[in-house]
Amino acid sequence: MASSLLTSSILLILIGLTFSLSLAKKHSPSSNFLSGSPSINLVSNGLTNLGNTCFLNSQLECAFHIPIVRNILQAEANNINDSQIDPSLSAMEHLFSEMESSANRLGGGFGRPSNTRSFCSTLGISVYEQQDTQEFWKLLLPELDNIKLLDLYKGNYEDYIQEVGGEQRKKIIKDFFVDLSLEVGSGSVSKALKSKFQNYERLSVKGGNGWKPDKQSGERVDANKGSHLKASGLPPLLQLHLKRFNFDWNTETTDKINDRFSFPKVLDLAKFVQKPNDSENNDAADDLKFVLQSIVIHQGKFGSGHYYAYVRPNIESETWYRFDDDRVTKVSFRDVKTDAFGGAAKQKNKNESPKRFGGPWGFFFGRSRGGDFGWGGQDSSAYMVQYVRQRDIPRLYGLKSYKS
């Protein structure tokens, strides 16, 4: 009898240990970073739109498909008791775990989408109230209260005012960001970055707006006012916020700018970054190159519309997917560009008839009004563009190396 009880006890212990090891392996952050691990190549099954939750669905898809983001969330959940973990962070971890469990490996079919109801409830988000996707993400990252996650997106640049001639007095203020806001009127990301970080405003005494280096003395001097971008201030995940909405002070109305604004697959910031001093080390070429990973599209006009995302789940592949809530579609990069750049795409053949695109939202947002536009129609264009720093790709994706 005693022998039988001992045998049963040992068997239960072994079963318990096997279950614990299986559970630890399943939720271990490092399991996602094994070379060739299928967890790296996940494709989400999409997210259900609960009413007006497309603004958060699109941003969450962009973040989910970067393995280190899932890794950080899982590590936090494994290392901290449920009573100690921040509720917002816990809600996001549970959501991403659900998305990962239902996600498909690259090449598989698509199944059941995940649901954000619990996530929205925890964060107090009304599922019927449309919000700006850029503002949502900008507010969510600090709310999650996780420095490792925030550091992936957090960068900085310097705002400066420098005296022209004289003592060349200078004032520098460091400006932190989780996304860089760019004007779209220039037509391309290259021109917008040049305007933001290479051009400057001249403050002139004769013009009546001279700079006061010393407020007590009240002396005004000529000065240059601008911004400098440094390599040390660039984050691993660089989000560009394209300022599509413009407020007209004369009419006191806000309109959407759908003008064409192009951006490259690989963004080289070498010519936009301030050259280092002799005391600083020169940056390697990969330090200043960023690879396009995802895009959030706004479709419609100001005050109304719809968000969806284009994502490249495998950064080593040229395969892209459109995540329109619970509708996941494999697309070409040509489809991405035509939809994301805004405006009418240039036709290679002048005799080619204009392309018309349909879709579930076409009736509301004019997707069939004609013109050579992308899937979202003439009122769709990129609103958020996300790049990953080339040198950080092995760390972000759990790869041994990365070749562009």
Side-chain angles (χ1 to χ4, degrees):
M1 183 68 177
S3 175
S4 177
L5 286 173
L6 180 61
T7 302
S8 298
S9 299
I10 292 173
L11 183 60
L12 287 171
I13 292 171
L14 289 173
I15 292 173
L17 285 172
T18 302
F19 176 78
S20 298
L21 288 171
S22 175
L23 189 63
K25 183 178 180 180
K26 179 180 178 182
H27 292 284
S28 171
S30 60
S31 67
N32 285 345
F33 286 81
L34 297 175
S35 178
S37 167
S39 294
I40 296 173
N41 299 328
L42 294 178
V43 179
S44 162
N45 279 326
L47 293 165
T48 302
N49 192 326
L50 303 177
N52 274 320
T53 55
C54 58
F55 70 92
L56 63 88
N57 287 353
S58 53
Q59 282 282 13
L60 290 173
E61 293 288 6
C62 297
F64 172 79
H65 288 96
I66 299 176
I68 198 172
V69 175
R70 304 195 302 267
N71 178 272
I72 290 173
L73 292 172
Q74 290 178 357
E76 196 71 18
N78 291 342
N79 295 333
I80 301 177
N81 296 329
D82 288 341
S83 60
Q84 296 176 320
I85 191 171
D86 181 87
S88 301
L89 190 70
S90 178
M92 189 164 175
E93 189 277 327
H94 283 302
L95 174 60
F96 274 27
S97 292
E98 179 187 341
M99 292 173 69
E100 186 168 352
S101 297
S102 64
N104 294 276
R105 273 52 183 170
L106 291 179
F110 297 107
R112 185 177 179 179
S114 298
N115 193 297
T116 60
R117 190 170 298 279
S118 178
F119 175 80
C120 292
S121 177
T122 301
L123 273 74
I125 297 173
S126 171
V127 299
Y128 299 108
E129 182 181 346
Q130 179 69 287
Q131 296 186 36
D132 185 287
T133 189
Q134 183 255 353
E135 292 178 357
F136 159 73
W137 194 248
K138 200 170 185 176
L139 293 172
L140 176 65
L141 285 174
E143 176 67 22
L144 296 175
D145 194 26
N146 185 279
I147 190 66
K148 291 182 180 179
L149 194 59
L150 183 59
D151 281 348
L152 292 177
Y153 295 86
K154 186 179 178 181
N156 68 80
Y157 58 87
E158 293 180 348
D159 291 323
Y160 70 88
I161 301 178
Q162 183 168 12
E163 181 181 3
V164 177
E167 301 177 28
Q168 292 194 337
R169 286 166 289 186
K170 191 174 185 179
K171 180 180 180 181
I172 296 177
I173 298 176
K174 190 166 286 190
D175 196 344
F176 292 91
F177 65 86
V178 293
D179 59 57
L180 275 178
S181 294
L182 298 178
E183 303 287 346
V184 298
S186 62
S188 71
V189 70
S190 179
K191 292 178 180 178
L193 287 169
K194 179 180 179 181
S195 175
K196 189 176 184 70
F197 294 113
Q198 291 185 332
N199 297 345
Y200 57 83
E201 177 188 358
R202 173 60 63 88
L203 304 180
S204 169
V205 175
K206 289 184 178 180
N209 64 340
W211 176 46
K212 293 182 181 179
D214 185 351
K215 291 185 179 180
Q216 292 183 348
S217 67
E219 175 195 12
R220 291 185 179 272
V221 298
D222 292 342
N224 293 331
K225 179 182 179 181
S227 300
H228 282 151
L229 186 64
K230 291 189 174 182
S232 58
L234 295 171
L237 301 178
L238 178 63
Q239 275 205 351
L240 303 180
H241 165 225
L242 309 187
K243 299 172 72 174
R244 291 283 182 185
F245 302 115
N246 178 63
F247 181 77
D248 189 322
W249 289 97
N250 294 321
T251 61
E252 296 187 352
T253 58
T254 301
D255 295 318
K256 182 181 176 184
I257 305 171
N258 267 315
D259 295 349
R260 189 169 178 80
F261 185 86
S262 63
F263 43 86
K265 265 188 184 179
V266 178
L267 177 62
D268 190 347
L269 296 179
K271 59 184 177 182
F272 307 112
V273 170
Q274 186 184 32
K275 293 182 179 180
N277 298 323
D278 294 338
S279 59
E280 298 180 12
N281 295 324
N282 290 327
D283 298 282
D286 286 354
D287 288 2
L288 301 175
K289 288 183 179 178
F290 287 76
V291 180
L292 186 63
Q293 182 263 343
S294 58
I295 303 158
V296 175
I297 303 289
H298 178 268
Q299 178 189 21
K301 302 183 183 299
F302 173 75
S304 64
H306 179 60
Y307 292 103
Y308 54 94
Y310 288 103
V311 183
R312 177 159 54 153
N314 183 355
I315 201 68
E316 295 183 297
S317 169
E318 293 300 317
T319 304
W320 287 79
Y321 291 84
R322 180 174 59 244
F323 293 90
D324 186 5
D325 293 326
D326 57 355
R327 294 173 291 274
V328 182
T329 308
K330 189 176 180 179
V331 297
S332 69
F333 186 64
R334 183 178 182 277
D335 295 331
V336 176
K337 290 192 300 181
T338 305
D339 200 17
F341 285 179
K346 296 179 180 178
Q347 297 177 15
K348 293 182 180 180
N349 184 356
K350 292 183 179 180
N351 296 322
E352 181 182 355
S353 60
K355 295 182 179 180
R356 297 169 184 256
F357 293 77
W361 298 92
F363 177 79
F364 297 101
F365 301 122
R367 197 174 281 171
S368 59
R369 293 178 186 171
D372 198 10
F373 301 103
W375 186 80
Q378 63 184 16
D379 289 330
S380 71
S381 52
Y383 186 50
M384 303 294 297
V385 181
Q386 182 160 287
Y387 285 90
V388 293
R389 197 169 188 168
Q390 187 164 296
R391 75 166 188 194
D392 292 319
I393 286 178
R395 179 172 69 92
L396 297 174
Y397 285 82
L399 304 172
K400 288 184 177 179
S401 61
Y402 172 79
K403 292 182 179 181
S404 57

